[in-house]
Amino acid sequence: MARGRSKDLILAAVRSASRRGSFRSNGSDRRAGPALTSALLSRNSCSAPSLAPPQESSPFGSWESVDAKRLSAWKNVTFGSGGGVRFAEPTVAGTGGRWYGTQAASEQEEKKEPWREGMEKIRNIGISAHIDSGKTTLTERVLFYTGRIHEIHEVRGRDGVGAKMDSMDLEREKGITIQSAATHCTWGDHQVNIIDTPGHVDFTIEVERALRVLDGAILVLCSVGGVQSQSITVDRQMRRYSVPRLAFINKLDRTGADPWKVVGQLRSKLRLNAAAVQIPIGLESDLSGLVDLVSMSSIYFDGPSGEKVRREGGVPDNLKEKAEEKRHELIEHLSEVDDEIAEKFLNDEPISAEELQAAVRRATLGLKFVPVFMGSAFKNRGVQPLLNGVVDYLPCPTEVSNHALDQNKGEEKVHLAGDPSGPLVGLAFKLEEGRFGQLTYLRIYEGTLRRGEFIINCSTGKKVKVPRLVRMHADDMEDIQEAGAGEIVAMFGVDCASGDTFTDGSVRFTMTSMNVPEPVMSLSISPASKDGGTQFSKALNRFQKEDPTFRVSLDPDSGETIISGMGELHLDIYVERIKREYKVDTVVGKPQVNFRETVTQRAEFDYTHKKQSGGQGQYGRVMGYIEPLEDASGSDSRVVFENEIVGTAIPSNFFPGIEKGFLEAANSGGLIGHPVVNIRCVLNDGASHAVDSSELAFKLAALYAFRQCYEKARPVILEPVMGVEVKAPVEFQGTIIGNINRRKGIIVGSEQDGDEITINAQVPLNNMFGYSTDLRSMTQGKGEFTMEYWQHSAVPQDVQQQLVSEHKRGGH
């Protein structure tokens, strides 16, 4: 009876407060107020006056809706003697916040759709690292412990087999690539997809697409090398795409291993709020296990390959003080970003393992904290707890906000809930040439993909059938009949390009913007021997499919093959891939910058094209003007044709020919033969002949009219200007700035952070050749830079004269 009476009193109090307006609710926060929490946790009486009004709002609509049935479903209400009541803090796993003041947790459990439970068991992760931090060895152990492979082979092992995931020379500067783009493995009742993350930011669209597919990541660090240049690049990528991450300090068995130095570097160099969730039992050759700081227990790894995990309660006596200190440090770092831990930390209240684990998860998902795991993959220590960390702390697909762009509504953002019963939306993020033709890796964001069904490629509008659907197991394949939202699968026999979005036809969504940036640099390329011609063509065709920013064309004058891309590094990588993947040596010409031309003032034209050579002649007269487009920027706007003719001076069926003439003329400007952009061609008068006028005659009239008045419009040459970001130790600041000034760059800003300086500048691409070599020598190898296209700007007059004279001499 006491329980029933207490519930009635609580209901009366809540409803009374709701009517008085003491409880506000607008859905803006995930937690009801701390005042209400403390009242509910501390009061022994449940009469209405004892409930203090909350300071924050509730996310659950009106408090009127609380009734006895819903309250009784709250599993964590305990009733004390004498009718008193205590409320524990119900938690919904994976919500990223705790909720008070209603039975929301259990109601969510009751109402949770079955598909959500399945989605919570999926993790899509990437493993990223600096070269030689042990990424491949770690991936090998993950595959072994999850049962994907049945024996371990080392990267540099004596058996000559090599690691399962190793497909390239590890020492390559580009980093290694996991052989299959998405390896599927199972850990407990969770499905883990390990996705190949590109090691290098080479300014291509492909990097962005691969990172889109990740829900979380593991940043692997060497316990001796610590945070190195590539670690900084990888972290910058993850930060840009808001990827929650765990850190794993590897190689604790090496001489000179110092995990605490690495944790300090994570905080100082990467500016991450990071703290260890484990400490090692012994270091270097004495490494025998780990202490779990969350549960304060010891973990040992038995068996020939460390496959038997032994967990013992308590901490070794010689590490008790260190473990208490590091657990306190972990709680301190969490309290800076988590209110619940902060409250308990300030009140010196004990924090249970469950509370600490929930707080680490919330803060990691909120990108406010990075838990640091430790071990040695080579010595089979610490990999299984890391997999537990992936399951416990990294998000499932429903906890990541994914958006598509609705092409029917001008690329308006649409939230994808991840419902398998919704319309199908999937992204082809990687292509691979397999034994059976093109293998397309697909991340499904919403809906269900079934074998044999027809799907629509939103980029091309083509309807294609799915002949074969597989799930990847390292380099083996398992045929499946269907796959739902959140999964990563592969399709055979579907012709598409990297970044294409597939739907079931009911919606027209794309996962990435269809606006592909224009290439800014070109170079000529040809196979070194005639024998490599076929493979060379295959390589270029495949790379064009994979990367829309990589273009291939034929120079009409010289007949050379020209490849164009987003920068020097971008093109270097493709030249290297042709050599490595297709075994074709190439001869590469000098890089060419993609200049543009434009006009700066209005110029009139009046041109008559007349030709008589027996039979029907050609006649067409066009009058009008060309002028610069005022609202154009860079190279986005090409040529605009406007027809202002009133009357029938020129019959309307000739207008398409005139437009074609202007567009063709603008393909090659009069200064250095590069395309003309940001120009408006206006036709306001003309004349035609009843017999001799034709579409061809007017096309030629427009072409020659454009060339006739082009000089009078004061044309200028535009060159691509790059946004350059240089990071280096502060002592090299003066040298770097001096070098940028010599390259005619403009310093936009600089920012000092500790011993490192970041310099932002805008430099003409034509002056950036060889900069990476210069920067290395200027900074003793400690500097690095990134470069991306900013806009096309007019070149100085002296540079223009030099380019024009070179063009006239045939030096282009």
Side-chain angles (χ1 to χ4, degrees):
M1 290 296 293
R3 290 193 177 198
R5 191 173 75 252
S6 296
K7 286 177 188 170
D8 291 339
L9 284 168
I10 296 164
L11 285 166
V14 170
R15 284 179 178 142
S16 166
S18 179
R19 288 189 193 100
R20 293 197 309 271
S22 311
F23 287 178
R24 300 189 308 278
S25 172
N26 61 9
S28 63
D29 196 4
R30 282 186 168 170
R31 296 175 298 166
L36 174 63
T37 311
S38 57
L40 292 177
L41 286 167
S42 60
R43 305 284 190 222
N44 280 331
S45 165
C46 280
S47 57
S50 70
L51 278 167
Q55 301 304 306
E56 299 175 45
S57 53
S58 151
F60 302 107
S62 166
W63 291 83
E64 284 278 10
S65 60
V66 179
D67 56 34
K69 182 183 174 189
R70 291 167 70 190
L71 189 69
S72 65
W74 198 351
K75 294 176 182 173
N76 294 335
V77 179
T78 55
F79 294 88
S81 58
V85 62
R86 280 183 185 279
F87 283 68
E89 303 171 355
T91 304
V92 180
T95 57
R98 296 194 158 196
W99 300 332
Y100 310 106
T102 133
Q103 82 314 336
S106 53
E107 186 184 359
Q108 289 279 54
E109 283 166 18
E110 285 173 2
K111 290 192 173 180
K112 191 183 285 179
E113 302 95 323
W115 62 268
R116 280 194 187 274
E117 289 178 17
M119 292 277 269
E120 281 169 11
K121 303 290 185 193
I122 297 175
R123 299 288 183 274
N124 295 319
I125 65 160
I127 300 178
S128 299
H130 185 84
I131 314 309
D132 232 6
S133 295
K135 171 174 140 178
T136 305
T137 309
L138 174 63
T139 311
E140 186 82 355
R141 297 307 186 274
V142 167
L143 292 176
F144 177 73
Y145 295 131
T146 55
R148 276 295 122 240
I149 57 175
H150 302 293
E151 56 182 331
I152 293 171
H153 296 285
E154 301 308 335
V155 171
R156 298 182 182 88
R158 292 178 185 172
D159 57 8
V161 177
K164 175 82 169 176
M165 303 301 277
D166 232 358
S167 59
M168 295 182 193
D169 178 0
L170 263 179
E171 298 301 320
R172 291 209 182 275
E173 187 235 344
K174 311 309 186 245
I176 60 147
T177 304
I178 296 175
Q179 190 174 17
S180 71
T183 298
H184 162 85
C185 54
T186 307
W187 183 246
D189 59 349
H190 285 71
Q191 178 183 320
V192 181
N193 292 312
I194 302 172
I195 298 150
D196 174 13
T197 55
H200 225 283
V201 186
D202 54 9
F203 326 121
T204 68
I205 285 179
E206 201 177 345
V207 175
E208 184 173 337
R209 286 177 184 155
L211 283 161
R212 279 210 70 142
V213 177
L214 297 183
D215 294 332
I218 301 170
L219 178 62
V220 184
L221 302 152
C222 173
S223 63
V224 180
V227 173
Q228 294 161 281
S229 61
Q230 192 69 28
S231 318
I232 296 168
T233 308
V234 164
D235 174 71
R236 202 178 296 143
Q237 276 178 262
M238 292 179 188
R239 211 182 283 264
R240 189 181 300 159
Y241 299 108
S242 303
V243 178
R245 73 213 82 151
L246 312 177
F248 179 68
I249 299 176
N250 195 17
K251 301 194 177 184
L252 288 183
D253 59 304
R254 271 186 66 184
T255 306
D258 185 354
W260 307 114
K261 174 195 81 173
V262 183
V263 173
Q265 288 177 343
L266 280 170
R267 293 170 188 160
S268 61
K269 288 190 174 182
L270 300 184
R271 298 195 292 282
L272 294 171
N273 181 23
V277 291
Q278 299 169 339
I279 63 169
I281 301 172
L283 273 177
E284 301 177 2
S285 58
D286 300 328
L287 179 69
S288 58
L290 299 163
V291 173
D292 183 349
L293 297 178
V294 176
S295 62
M296 290 301 275
S297 58
S298 304
I299 308 168
Y300 298 95
F301 306 90
D302 301 330
S305 302
E307 66 273 16
K308 293 173 185 168
V309 179
R310 174 164 51 92
R311 192 179 278 269
E312 294 180 0
V315 180
D317 292 339
N318 63 327
L319 286 173
K320 274 185 179 170
E321 194 179 318
K322 179 91 168 174
E324 287 294 342
E325 177 203 327
K326 292 299 176 186
R327 191 175 199 265
H328 186 270
E329 190 179 294
L330 169 65
I331 292 167
E332 195 176 332
H333 278 271
L334 277 171
S335 68
E336 293 173 13
V337 293
D338 191 272
D339 294 343
E340 289 170 47
I341 295 293
E343 203 171 322
K344 294 208 163 201
F345 178 67
L346 293 170
N347 295 333
D348 280 335
E349 293 177 32
I351 296 167
S352 70
E354 290 75 22
E355 287 172 322
L356 194 53
Q357 185 172 319
V360 171
R361 179 173 177 80
R362 281 196 303 273
T364 305
L365 295 191
L367 303 171
K368 298 172 185 171
F369 179 73
V370 176
V372 181
F373 291 77
M374 300 187 183
S376 166
F378 183 66
K379 295 289 183 187
N380 310 311
R381 305 274 187 272
V383 178
Q384 297 96 323
L386 175 66
L387 282 165
N388 290 336
V390 166
V391 167
D392 291 340
Y393 303 134
L394 290 180
C396 68
T398 53
E399 290 166 320
V400 178
S401 180
N402 287 307
H403 293 91
L405 304 172
D406 191 341
Q407 296 299 317
N408 291 334
K409 295 182 180 175
E411 297 204 343
E412 183 184 301
K413 272 193 175 183
V414 182
H415 178 69
L416 299 176
D419 185 352
S421 60
L424 173 70
V425 181
L427 176 70
F429 67 94
K430 179 97 176 177
L431 307 178
E432 207 173 85
E433 290 297 323
R435 293 189 300 274
F436 311 106
Q438 183 176 301
L439 184 65
T440 304
Y441 288 91
L442 192 78
R443 160 80 192 257
I444 303 170
Y445 287 94
E446 195 157 301
T448 303
L449 179 66
R450 294 178 182 85
R451 182 185 169 184
E453 279 192 346
F454 283 95
I455 53 176
I456 306 287
N457 183 336
C458 286
S459 305
T460 61
K462 285 182 182 173
K463 193 176 187 179
V464 290
K465 190 178 181 181
V466 183
R468 189 179 172 198
L469 201 57
V470 295
R471 185 177 281 124
M472 301 305 294
H473 291 303
D475 61 351
D476 307 316
M477 286 169 270
E478 172 203 345
D479 277 283
I480 53 173
Q481 294 303 312
E482 65 174 45
E487 291 194 64
I488 289 174
V489 292
M491 303 183 294
F492 269 114
V494 175
D495 188 37
C496 67
S498 174
D500 284 356
T501 305
F502 289 97
T503 68
D504 55 10
S506 60
V507 291
R508 192 160 167 261
F509 292 168
T510 55
M511 291 306 296
T512 50
S513 175
M514 302 301 287
N515 298 324
V516 177
E518 285 290 313
V520 293
M521 186 183 283
S522 304
L523 52 84
S524 63
I525 184 168
S526 60
S529 67
K530 288 181 180 177
D531 303 342
T534 311
Q535 289 292 91
F536 178 71
S537 302
K538 259 191 196 174
L540 294 183
N541 287 336
R542 177 188 157 200
F543 296 152
Q544 276 190 100
K545 265 190 183 178
E546 283 183 6
D547 184 356
T549 59
F550 178 76
R551 311 271 175 90
V552 180
S553 58
L554 206 65
D555 188 314
D557 300 330
S558 63
E560 290 178 316
T561 303
I562 307 290
I563 57 171
S564 308
M566 300 308 294
E568 199 172 7
L569 176 60
H570 186 195
L571 295 176
D572 280 354
I573 282 171
Y574 281 116
V575 171
E576 181 73 16
R577 282 182 69 183
I578 291 170
K579 184 179 177 182
R580 196 163 67 224
E581 294 173 31
Y582 289 88
K583 309 289 185 289
V584 176
D585 285 318
T586 55
V587 177
V588 178
K590 182 180 177 291
Q592 284 282 312
V593 170
N594 289 357
F595 291 105
R596 297 283 180 266
E597 297 182 26
T598 192
V599 296
T600 55
Q601 68 181 32
R602 175 170 160 157
E604 308 277 342
F605 61 81
D606 179 356
Y607 185 83
T608 305
H609 174 67
K610 207 187 288 185
K611 193 176 181 186
Q612 195 71 45
S613 56
Q616 184 182 346
Q618 291 181 7
Y619 180 86
R621 183 183 180 191
V622 288
M623 297 164 68
Y625 58 89
I626 59 171
E627 64 179 2
L629 274 173
E630 290 169 14
D631 56 347
S633 61
S635 60
D636 297 329
S637 304
R638 292 271 179 176
V639 181
V640 175
F641 171 70
E642 288 180 9
N643 176 17
E644 292 183 357
I645 287 186
V646 180
T648 56
I650 299 175
S652 58
N653 56 316
F654 297 141
F655 293 146
I658 295 170
E659 185 173 1
K660 274 183 203 164
F662 282 125
L663 292 175
E664 197 175 299
N667 275 338
S668 175
L671 292 177
I672 55 171
H674 281 260
V676 182
V677 296
N678 307 338
I679 187 169
R680 178 187 284 116
C681 304
V682 180
L683 180 71
N684 56 23
D685 203 354
S688 65
H689 187 276
V691 177
D692 290 349
S693 288
S694 64
E695 191 173 326
L696 175 65
F698 275 103
K699 178 186 165 184
L700 293 169
L703 186 93
Y704 295 129
F706 184 93
R707 290 177 182 170
Q708 180 196 58
C709 70
Y710 188 66
E711 281 297 321
K712 292 185 280 183
R714 286 184 56 200
V716 292
I717 297 170
L718 304 175
E719 65 180 345
V721 176
M722 310 302 279
V724 179
E725 183 181 87
V726 185
K727 285 184 183 252
V730 71
E731 65 260 31
F732 303 112
Q733 180 180 358
T735 322
I736 292 168
I737 289 174
N739 186 274
I740 289 172
N741 287 334
R742 277 199 301 281
R743 292 172 183 269
K744 298 183 181 172
I746 299 165
I747 306 292
V748 179
S750 64
E751 185 184 333
Q752 188 172 339
D753 179 40
D755 294 337
E756 195 178 69
I757 185 91
T758 303
I759 299 165
N760 290 296
Q762 290 159 4
V763 191
L765 177 61
N766 209 27
N767 301 340
M768 283 299 289
F769 294 126
Y771 186 64
S772 51
T773 314
D774 275 10
L775 184 65
R776 270 199 291 271
S777 58
M778 278 188 292
T779 61
Q780 300 163 13
K782 296 174 188 170
E784 60 167 23
F785 80 102
T786 57
M787 177 171 77
E788 53 195 353
Y789 171 71
W790 179 56
Q791 68 172 35
H792 271 76
S793 296
V795 301
Q797 195 60 38
D798 59 324
V799 176
Q800 178 160 323
Q801 286 170 0
Q802 184 186 336
L803 288 168
V804 171
S805 60
E806 274 179 19
H807 176 74
K808 284 177 179 169
R809 286 200 309 268
H812 68 298

